[in-house]
Amino acid sequence: MFVLDYQTPEKATGTVAETYNVFLQKNIPVPAPLQLMSTSPGLFEVFFAQISYFMRHETLSFPLLAAIRFLAAQQVCFDHCVNLNQTWLSKAGLSAEDLIDLAAGRQVEAFSEAENALLATVAKVLRKERINEDEIQRLRALDWKDSDILDACAQATNMMGMSSLFGAFSK
């Protein structure tokens, strides 16, 4: 899959195998970007710590995070992640119409007003637009904490960098 030496789920050892088992025990494929990061033990640890952080996020739900990753993957033409997150969103109960609306940047019926507002902000960040104070105030009024806003946007923008690495080192 990659031109660098990395650990596949079948041949992983030590900490990498333990980490992969977090996914395999839940019948979730080990994310390809995580496999790429197994090339560097230090980056692997940091990358999985970030995944773990989002897996147990107090306010950003699994469907909302999948929607954020879907938007980011669309932006950077990261087809594997578009398809994976689309599958997870479908399993989380989003309809075909919801997915079409999400892809088109429209309000998604399955999400609350607050979630749709946060997704709109994430989309603006992905387009490298500035977020003004009025927009932040609106998100705060919808009960988002500043940390939630930054976390959501960081989840999206981190995929931009990973997309570059993934593309550069894929076979």
Side-chain angles (χ1 to χ4, degrees):
M1 185 174 353
F2 301 109
V3 296
L4 298 172
D5 289 331
Y6 69 100
Q7 293 187 46
T8 64
E10 302 78 29
K11 295 182 180 179
T13 60
T15 304
V16 173
E18 291 170 21
T19 302
Y20 286 179
N21 279 333
V22 169
F23 297 91
L24 298 173
Q25 289 174 353
K26 295 178 182 180
N27 290 324
I28 298 171
V30 176
L34 183 62
Q35 292 181 52
L36 175 59
M37 289 295 107
S38 72
T39 301
S40 168
L43 281 178
F44 181 83
E45 184 180 321
V46 169
F47 192 74
F48 184 65
Q50 186 174 67
I51 290 172
S52 297
Y53 173 73
F54 284 107
M55 286 173 73
R56 63 180 190 281
H57 203 283
E58 292 179 10
T59 52
L60 302 178
S61 68
F62 175 80
L64 182 58
L65 287 166
I68 290 166
R69 290 189 304 268
F70 175 83
L71 290 175
Q74 267 195 311
Q75 183 76 23
V76 295
C77 302
F78 208 8
D79 291 338
H80 168 77
C81 283
V82 168
N83 295 334
L84 180 61
N85 286 289
Q86 187 171 14
T87 298
W88 286 345
L89 288 165
S90 293
K91 288 182 179 184
L94 272 74
S95 69
E97 186 66 30
D98 287 333
L99 294 171
I100 291 168
D101 288 341
L102 179 62
R106 294 187 295 261
Q107 298 281 303
V108 177
E109 187 176 324
F111 291 124
S112 69
E113 176 187 1
E115 291 168 324
N116 276 302
L118 187 58
L119 287 169
T121 299
V122 166
K124 286 177 77 172
V125 169
L126 287 168
R127 292 189 305 267
K128 300 179 183 177
E129 295 177 20
R130 287 199 179 271
I131 306 303
N132 63 39
E133 289 181 32
D134 290 341
E135 186 165 352
I136 295 301
Q137 291 297 4
R138 179 169 183 265
L139 291 170
R140 288 175 181 152
L142 292 167
D143 291 327
W144 291 116
K145 296 181 293 194
D146 287 14
S147 60
D148 297 330
I149 298 164
L150 183 62
D151 287 352
C153 294
Q155 173 79 27
T157 59
N158 288 342
M159 287 188 67
M160 296 173 95
M162 181 50 66
S163 173
S164 295
L165 292 172
F166 198 88
F169 295 112
S170 289
K171 286 186 180 180

